[in-house]
Amino acid sequence: MAAEIQSDNYNSAAFRKKPALLNKLEGCDGNVFAVVMIPREEGVITASSDRQIRVWLKRDSGQYWPSICHPLPAPPTALSYNMETRRLFAGLENGTLSEFSLSEDYNRMSHQRDYLAHQSYVTAVHFVLPCEWLLSCGRDKWFTWHCSETGQRMGGFQANAWCTALAFDIQTKHAFIGDLSGTITVLKVENNNYQYITTLKGHSGSVRCLAWNADKRLLCSGSFDQSVIVWDIGGQKGTAYELQGHSNNVTGLSYANATQRLFSASEDQMIVTWDMSADRTETPEWQDSDLCQKCQEPFFWNVKEMWDKRTIGVRQHHCRKCGRAVCDKCSKHRSRLPLLGHEFDVRVCEDCFGSITDQDKRSNTMFLDARHQVVCMDLDETAGRLVTAGIDRVVKIWDVLHIVNP
């Protein structure tokens, strides 16, 4: 069983029982690039670098075995599955999108058509059944959408960098495209055109994954800068909350709407469960100053002040609670700030440290050691199952029913 690292305080009943490892799927001959759960079925679909799509079904023995091993002309790199129509869409390394139809017993998979959508590696694919749209993005810097009824391309948008992640709001038809530069472009997609809305900037590393919560209209983004940012799109005030709970690249995000829980996974082998119903505080902006805003010592680039005071400049730091620019002497204290998203001890100034209470340090965030570096993740909220795929080519299925539907 996987080990668990718990925060100090857990008041919610949903957190009193840790996620349980139910099964491990070992049999992929290549790296697993994408994994999706089959809703309402004991099944998993994987895409791997050995050019195979595998459909895994749970047998009477309790173990998962492949019912389908379908070869492809190029490695599949992204998946989207629709349960109502049993249609599977796979993005390939060569830029092609392939559509398949799965049989009722999940023992056969028939090829339907190919979409020549991209010129290179497909990073994300998303099927929208109400519109019959197939959305995709790739390393050719293009976000495209096709009609899944005719197979014709309907439109496209070229970004300034590799497109790396994709989310879509069915109600308003807004697309969110994360890219290698760390920005997220927001577009309103129409049948044969699009309207540019805005660009979200907050990450210092490339955006690796996106998750959309339609109820609260929150966009969650995970990045190679090891952080998760929650963008309040519905509030329309530019509010953003940072979640700092990983020590390596964030590679997977899944949102449980019923209980307002956000799952994040990373190459640090941790799966973190965030309570998004908590009253969080927006991360303060770092203030600019040539002097320490507490003791007035000049920073090392403030040559004039250094000369006038006949002193050596000091290095600039920032208090994570108030955002003030301070020197090391005035910010020696460290503390957790869960409501600001900091689950680890971070630098705070003397004034803020004195105002932090034990209540301020309480956390409802849970850390689970997955014991493999997660590269992708998917959640079946109805069944309460979370699936992760790791660099070790192992797929793990977790029981999270008590968290997503307590």
Side-chain angles (χ1 to χ4, degrees):
M1 295 294 292
E4 179 190 28
I5 303 174
Q6 275 196 345
S7 300
D8 294 340
N9 295 281
Y10 283 84
N11 298 321
S12 173
F15 284 109
R16 293 174 185 168
K17 182 182 176 184
K18 67 180 181 179
L21 178 62
L22 298 178
N23 290 93
K24 290 201 301 183
L25 284 59
E26 300 174 292
C28 294
D29 295 329
N31 298 325
V32 180
F33 291 142
V35 60
V36 294
M37 299 289 294
I38 302 177
R40 301 190 294 273
E41 296 285 341
E42 296 281 358
V44 175
I45 305 174
T46 59
S48 53
S49 62
D50 60 359
R51 303 189 178 188
Q52 296 272 350
I53 290 180
R54 291 177 174 85
V55 179
W56 306 74
L57 296 180
K58 189 175 182 180
R59 308 301 182 180
D60 292 339
S61 63
Q63 299 299 313
Y64 283 76
W65 294 96
S67 62
I68 298 174
C69 293
H70 189 88
L72 296 171
T77 54
L79 292 175
S80 178
Y81 179 67
N82 180 260
M83 180 65 184
E84 286 76 12
T85 60
R86 295 195 306 277
R87 293 155 77 184
L88 176 67
F89 299 87
L92 307 186
E93 192 177 73
N94 62 9
T96 302
L97 304 179
S98 294
E99 178 183 346
F100 303 92
S101 176
L102 273 65
S103 63
E104 288 190 33
D105 58 5
Y106 293 99
N107 286 316
R108 295 187 314 278
M109 189 169 80
S110 57
H111 179 264
Q112 300 300 307
R113 65 158 58 98
D114 286 332
Y115 304 79
L116 302 180
H118 298 277
Q119 311 248 335
S120 62
Y121 193 110
V122 178
T123 53
V125 58
H126 185 79
F127 176 59
V128 186
L129 179 60
C131 309
E132 287 289 345
W133 289 353
L134 180 60
L135 315 177
S136 63
C137 60
R139 291 184 180 176
D140 59 356
K141 303 182 183 180
W142 277 94
F143 160 67
T144 66
W145 60 102
H146 290 71
C147 176
S148 58
E149 294 179 320
T150 64
Q152 298 297 313
R153 173 171 168 151
M154 301 177 66
F157 165 79
Q158 187 173 21
N160 295 321
W162 284 1
C163 299
T164 54
L166 176 63
F168 188 73
D169 179 21
I170 297 177
Q171 296 176 353
T172 63
K173 295 183 174 59
H174 282 90
F176 306 94
I177 304 108
D179 64 36
L180 192 68
S181 69
T183 63
I184 302 169
T185 303
V186 183
L187 306 176
K188 182 175 177 58
V189 181
E190 301 170 359
N191 283 333
N192 295 302
N193 204 348
Y194 67 86
Q195 178 186 355
Y196 170 81
I197 304 299
T198 189
T199 298
L200 306 176
K201 298 180 179 179
H203 288 293
S204 59
S206 62
V207 177
R208 177 61 178 82
C209 48
L210 295 172
W212 173 250
N213 173 253
D215 295 338
K216 288 195 169 184
R217 298 190 56 75
L218 298 175
L219 177 69
C220 307
S221 58
S223 168
F224 276 22
D225 63 6
Q226 305 177 10
S227 72
V228 176
I229 298 181
V230 181
W231 311 84
D232 186 2
I233 304 297
Q236 297 183 349
K237 295 181 180 179
T239 305
Y241 308 94
E242 285 191 31
L243 305 178
Q244 302 283 353
H246 290 287
S247 59
N248 208 328
N249 302 330
V250 179
T251 54
L253 290 173
S254 294
Y255 204 109
N257 295 317
T259 56
Q260 298 300 314
R261 296 293 189 265
L262 174 67
F263 295 91
S264 63
S266 167
E267 292 179 4
D268 63 3
Q269 303 191 24
M270 304 302 296
I271 300 174
V272 183
T273 307
W274 307 86
D275 181 6
M276 299 310 299
S277 64
D279 186 16
R280 298 188 179 275
T281 304
E282 187 176 13
T283 306
E285 290 203 15
W286 286 3
Q287 300 177 24
D288 293 325
S289 178
D290 293 328
L291 302 172
C292 173
Q293 293 179 306
K294 182 169 176 60
C295 69
Q296 301 303 308
E297 284 291 316
F299 294 128
F300 63 84
W301 60 81
N302 191 350
V303 178
K304 182 181 182 304
E305 193 71 20
M306 289 165 55
W307 176 260
D308 291 343
K309 290 186 175 182
R310 299 297 191 272
T311 186
I312 298 175
V314 294
R315 184 180 175 185
Q316 184 188 68
H317 300 280
H318 285 89
C319 173
R320 298 318 194 260
K321 190 172 190 296
C322 66
R324 288 191 300 175
V326 290
C327 65
D328 181 67
K329 181 181 66 176
C330 297
S331 57
K332 289 185 176 296
H333 299 290
R334 303 290 185 272
S335 176
R336 288 191 305 169
L337 302 169
L339 292 182
L340 282 168
H342 296 289
E343 295 296 332
F344 305 133
D345 287 343
V346 291
R347 183 184 297 270
V348 292
C349 66
E350 291 183 359
D351 294 342
C352 289
F353 184 77
S355 67
I356 298 174
T357 65
D358 291 340
Q359 180 69 23
D360 294 331
K361 297 179 182 179
R362 297 179 66 180
S363 173
N364 283 329
T365 301
M366 180 164 55
F367 293 78
L368 176 72
D369 186 355
R371 295 190 176 175
H372 70 165
Q373 294 177 276
V374 178
V375 295
C376 53
M377 178 173 69
D378 189 42
L379 173 68
D380 181 359
E381 188 174 351
T382 304
R385 296 292 183 265
L386 184 74
V387 59
T388 60
I391 293 177
D392 55 3
R393 302 180 178 180
V394 175
V395 176
K396 297 184 178 182
I397 301 174
W398 308 86
D399 179 11
V400 295
L401 183 62
H402 54 285
I403 297 176
V404 302
N405 190 19

